[in-house]
Amino acid sequence: QVRLQESGPGLVRPSRTLSLTCTVSGGSISPYYWSWIRQTPGKGLQWLGYISDTGTTKYNPALTSRVTISVDTANNQFSLQLRSVTAADTAIYYCARDVFPHSEGWFDPWGQGILVTVSS
Amino acid sequence: EIVLTQSPATLSLSPGDRATLSCRASQSVSTFLSWYQQRPGQAPRLLIYDVSHRAPGIPARFSGSGSGTDFTLTITSLEPEDFAVYYCQQRANWPPFTFGPGTKVDLE
């Protein structure tokens, strides 16, 4: 059974870059799409973007200038970078896989989530 | 961007009751609509995709219906573990994939 685990700092200073990694165990990166999704009390669930096993990316247009997602297939990991963060980026960040191979947009399973706070 | 609205915001019911949750899209999403369940302290999990298809391992008491802009998630007989927040999500017009604000099913 595939499992996803987010890791990274829980506190990021304003204007800095938020960097998170999702480690996939019990399954392969291929041939799925892998997403980052965040959750806040105010804005609810927000999809940030995805990457395929071959490195194809799609981002949320609202964040595309600040987001980069990359994949490391050798280590079964993918990563999120969010630049120039503000307090509005404080959220629980989830990584998730598409439920079926080669499909886009139905997310399961998810990692347990990691709370990232943006504060000085 | 397609905006999803959900109603009611909160549904107060008892175990064994039938739950009916609604999701409305700002424009047609055809049948590209899914439902997720989020229990307290947990990540969301996929219940239903493509309006009416149950995800692997999801019990038969969960069912979905609708098309276009109006959709329904029905839980025929609530079990104690079903008291949670439910979100709809669309993949008809993306990026971005978008989620509704959620309906909380809580104990009456």
Side-chain angles (χ1 to χ4, degrees):
Chain A
Q1 178 178 339
V2 66
R3 298 177 73 101
L4 287 70
Q5 178 70 58
E6 303 89 350
S7 60
L11 179 65
V12 181
R13 303 301 182 193
S15 79
R16 299 293 184 94
T17 296
L18 180 160
S19 296
L20 297 174
T21 296
C22 183
T23 300
V24 180
S25 59
S28 174
I29 287 278
S30 303
Y32 292 91
Y33 289 87
W34 303 86
S35 286
W36 287 97
I37 299 163
R38 68 183 181 182
Q39 185 171 31
T40 63
K43 296 197 77 173
L45 290 161
Q46 183 181 33
W47 175 79
L48 305 182
Y50 77 43
I51 191 163
S52 74
D53 58 319
T54 59
T56 298
T57 54
K58 282 278 197 308
Y59 299 126
N60 188 319
L63 295 164
T64 190
S65 63
R66 297 198 292 133
V67 173
T68 300
I69 298 175
S70 58
V71 66
D72 177 357
T73 54
N75 290 301
N76 254 23
Q77 295 177 327
F78 64 105
S79 298
L80 169 73
Q81 286 196 320
L82 181 64
R83 295 174 290 278
S84 304
V85 298
T86 70
D89 295 308
T90 294
I92 297 172
Y93 285 77
Y94 295 100
C95 56
R97 193 198 74 180
D98 268 272
V99 67
F100 300 118
H102 307 295
S103 79
E104 297 158 290
W106 299 147
F107 309 111
D108 200 74
W110 299 49
Q112 67 183 25
I114 183 169
L115 174 62
V116 179
T117 301
V118 178
S119 176
S120 54
Chain B
E1 174 175 320
I2 293 179
V3 176
L4 300 176
T5 56
Q6 293 185 242
S7 61
T10 304
L11 198 51
S12 296
L13 295 169
S14 300
D17 285 349
R18 180 186 187 92
T20 303
L21 289 67
S22 294
C23 176
R24 175 165 288 179
S26 59
Q27 63 190 79
S28 176
V29 298
S30 183
T31 59
F32 298 114
L33 192 286
S34 66
W35 293 91
Y36 295 80
Q37 177 193 67
Q38 186 174 32
R39 294 171 176 153
Q42 296 185 15
R45 70 162 176 162
L46 181 67
L47 296 176
I48 301 282
Y49 65 95
D50 290 346
V51 175
S52 60
H53 294 84
R54 280 188 298 278
I58 300 303
R61 63 181 181 273
F62 292 93
S63 64
S65 62
S67 67
T69 60
D70 291 290
F71 302 89
T72 301
L73 173 70
T74 301
I75 311 170
T76 51
S77 178
L78 283 165
E79 298 287 339
E81 63 267 27
D82 299 337
F83 291 90
V85 181
Y86 294 84
Y87 297 95
C88 56
Q89 179 238 322
Q90 67 82 24
R91 70 162 193 173
N93 186 354
W94 63 278
F97 304 112
T98 55
F99 294 83
T103 290
K104 182 178 183 180
V105 178
D106 67 8
L107 271 169
E108 187 171 33

